[in-house]
Amino acid sequence: MSAATEATDAKVPSAALEAGLAIVALLVALLVGYGWFLGFHLDNVHNGLLAASFSAVGLYVVRMRPRHREGWLLVAVGVIHAVMFFGRQYGRVEGVLPAASWIGWVGVWLLPLAIALFGWTFMAFPDGRMLSPRWRRAGLGMCAVAALMAATTALWPVDYDRIGLVSSHPLALPGSQVAARLWPYLLPNYALFQVLWTAAVVVRLRRARGDEARQMRWLVYAMVMATVLLVTGLVVFGSPTPGRLAVPLIPVAAGIAILKYRLYDIDPVVNKTLVIGFLVLVVTVGYVTLVVGVGALIPVGTGWLSLLTTAVVAVAFEPLRRRAQRLADRLVYGHRATPYESLSRLSAQLDEAPEGLLDGIAATVANAVGATEVIVWVGEEARLLPQAGWPRQPSPSEPSRLGELDRGPPRHVRPVVHQGTVRGAITLRKPVGEALTLAEDRLLDDLVAQTGLVIAQQQQARELQATARRIVTAQDAARRRIERDLHDGAQQRLVTMGLELGSLAEQAKATGEPELAARARAVRAQLLEATADLRELARGLHPMVLSEAGLKAALRMLADRSSIPVRLTVALAGRTPREIEATAYYVVSEALTNAARHSGAEVVTVEVAKVAEGLQVRICDDGCGGARQSDGSGLQGLADRLAAVGATLTIDSPVGGGTRIRTMLPCA
């Protein structure tokens, strides 16, 4: 179940809903309670238990999560069983009771509908929705067949003899003999219903992941235990009653799975059940073999055989228990990596992206020691923050001290130490009742040591990146300062000198010195050209428009000055950090310069947009392609600059296919 669905379901029930739930609970209590008061019938006990268990669990689920569909299905199953239970109890009372035939009749024909609704409930578990439209059509087909069977039992007394009602069927319609002959052909549908919803549960279990898989295991465990008791009752006692009485365990397990799946894990329960069941089977077989088999062949007293059996069981018990535990661990938890496999897997992950290393470490630790939860903490001993986890990312939290990590639910804490300094910690939880073995403890020490090396390398990498970022920031600041000095200082003086020369040229012309005027005008023209060159140089260092008007205006200026037509698209909401704006500007500037010099393109497309991940920059041209990122090239310098701010440069430039340059600048 997703977090959004869980949050939607977990609404506070309204007063009207509370009143409605109370009425339903009271109705079920009256029907079941008065039904028990009317008498005890062993073959109807399970209906009363189902009514009570399904109703109680369903009402509690609905009260906690009013919009949870599965809770309403559980309530419906409980109510229909309560009505059916009361009807059958009422119809079995000796003597004349008011409307006995009609009330008993209701307790008979509801059975097919109750079974179909039971199946639908668990086909839709745990969220109340079918797996797919195909499974929904199958469920509707099951309900249609159940409705046909219910109509048959409602119109004719085809099922009265089996149920054993004292009251008679209230209807006397023609065709009862035909219905009685057809009824045996409809009865196998009950088995088909069970096959259908069992298949649906198995398919959903195989497809389930994460929390839903854990929920499904709770349901399947209860179903398997009920089936085992049913088979045991049939084989040992010749009666399905033990299995029927165990069916109420199913809604209880369903309720736990829906409401408490984050608190209780089914795997340890299944594990211990397998171990105990295997040992009970071994002890029983050993006792029967020695006492019955040996006693039939050798005339030895029963007391001596019992003593011999006890000694054999005592000697063989511990080796058998260890084997059973290993088998149960393999069946429940699957394959656990050996120390060599774990360390090899961790070594292979060191070549992956740095941001995924700690997640890989958490997964490796969990797989190596069979943990249900692993969290990797990073920081100093007095200030640790969760950075990675398995099976899910840890939620952000306040910094914790190393000594505080073992507070709360029981978990193992291992500090991560590198070169005598605490770099972090690893905390893990094992399944309930399962401790770290000696081999797992040693393996965990090795993994923690490797984790210290990884964290130290990541910290060094972050420090190097921070240093490079500071250098880039300082360079940008120096460029802005030089540009400002040139614009406000030398450039202004040159402009003033140009004006002075123009004035001198006019005075020389007026006094009759044409040669001096011509020379002054020539010098002024050269001065204006030098001023333009200086202005262009200042703009190349750091465009004033970028600082004053922002990235969008600066990119428009680049597009206007480009010798190749540029299709510019800029989607920005407000300003981004100054260093990110400068980097994006230089990415586009370098790309346009390369396109003009080398590509032979007819048009260049520039797209800059603020997205969730950061500032996305894409430049594409339709030129000759073949651009390569090599040492000393402009693209290599651009890649180095991007690396300083934590970004990467992606170049796609097949020969003859144009050039596409992409980057994502982080701008949290």
Side-chain angles (χ1 to χ4, degrees), residues 333-338 341-342 345 360-372 374 390 430 440 443 447:
Y333 303 116
H335 173 73
R336 288 186 181 174
T338 64
E341 291 172 338
S342 299
R345 187 175 304 167
I361 288 174
T364 301
V365 171
N367 186 62
V369 302
T372 59
V374 176
W390 184 94
K430 294 276 286 182
E440 291 173 345
L443 176 58
L447 294 175

Side-chain angles (χ1 to χ4, degrees), residues 200-462:
V201 169
V202 171
V203 171
R204 189 182 286 267
L205 177 63
R206 294 184 62 182
R207 296 181 183 178
R209 296 293 184 272
D211 292 327
E212 184 179 350
R214 190 178 300 177
Q215 291 175 305
M216 293 302 300
R217 287 200 292 270
W218 270 104
L219 179 69
V220 171
Y221 175 73
M223 288 180 173
V224 170
M225 293 303 297
T227 303
V228 169
L229 291 175
L230 177 65
V231 173
T232 302
L234 290 172
V235 173
V236 178
F237 305 107
S239 171
T241 300
R244 290 178 176 176
L245 297 180
V247 171
L249 295 175
I250 297 177
V252 174
I256 293 175
I258 293 172
L259 297 175
K260 299 294 185 182
Y261 64 91
R262 292 189 187 276
L263 301 180
Y264 304 110
D265 195 350
I266 186 61
D267 291 343
V269 180
V270 177
N271 186 291
K272 300 306 180 186
T273 302
L274 289 173
V275 174
I276 294 173
F278 177 79
L279 293 176
V280 169
L281 178 63
V282 168
V283 171
T284 302
V285 171
Y287 182 83
V288 171
T289 301
L290 290 175
V291 175
V292 179
V294 176
L297 297 175
I298 303 174
V300 181
T302 305
W304 288 102
L305 287 176
S306 299
L307 183 61
L308 176 63
T309 303
T310 303
V312 171
V313 169
V315 172
F317 185 84
E318 184 57 26
L320 290 174
R321 189 200 64 79
R322 287 198 299 267
R323 290 179 177 273
Q325 188 67 64
R326 285 197 295 268
L327 178 61
D329 290 342
R330 178 61 61 89
L331 291 175
V332 174
Y333 303 116
H335 173 73
R336 288 186 181 174
T338 64
Y340 174 78
E341 291 172 338
S342 299
L343 293 174
S344 298
R345 187 175 304 167
L346 182 60
S347 299
Q349 289 171 344
L350 296 179
D351 295 330
E352 297 182 357
E355 60 271 13
L357 274 178
L358 296 182
D359 290 324
I361 288 174
T364 301
V365 171
N367 186 62
V369 302
T372 59
E373 178 192 81
V374 176
I375 298 177
V376 180
W377 304 72
V378 176
E380 301 174 351
E381 183 175 357
R383 183 182 174 84
L384 295 171
L385 290 169
Q387 296 294 325
W390 184 94
R392 62 182 64 85
Q393 283 290 330
S395 57
S397 61
E398 294 295 326
S400 300
R401 298 180 61 86
L402 180 62
E404 298 173 349
L405 297 183
D406 57 352
R407 295 179 181 177
R411 57 184 173 185
H412 302 274
V413 179
R414 291 297 173 89
V416 176
V417 180
H418 182 69
Q419 294 181 347
T421 303
V422 174
R423 305 278 185 167
I426 291 180
T427 61
L428 62 92
R429 288 193 179 97
K430 294 276 286 182
V432 179
E434 187 176 344
L436 280 172
T437 65
L438 185 60
E440 291 173 345
D441 190 75
R442 288 197 297 266
L443 176 58
L444 185 58
D445 287 339
D446 293 335
L447 294 175
V448 167
Q450 296 296 321
T451 304
L453 179 61
V454 170
I455 293 176
Q457 290 176 344
Q458 287 191 339
Q459 290 176 342
Q460 292 174 358
R462 284 194 295 269

Side-chain angles (χ1 to χ4, degrees), residues 550-571:
L551 180 60
K552 189 173 184 178
L555 293 180
R556 284 177 179 171
M557 183 191 69
L558 276 180
D560 292 339
R561 294 173 53 222
S562 174
S563 59
I564 302 176
V566 177
R567 295 173 183 168
L568 178 64
T569 303
V570 181

Side-chain angles (χ1 to χ4, degrees), residues 29 39 135 157 185 193 209 212 246 309 322 337 355 363 392 403 418 474 504 511 556 592 598 602 627 649:
W135 281 104
Y185 296 100
F193 293 170
R209 296 293 184 272
E212 184 179 350
T309 303
R322 287 198 299 267
E355 60 271 13
R392 62 182 64 85
H418 182 69
L504 288 174
T511 57
R556 284 177 179 171
L592 292 179
H598 310 296
E602 296 182 358
L649 181 67

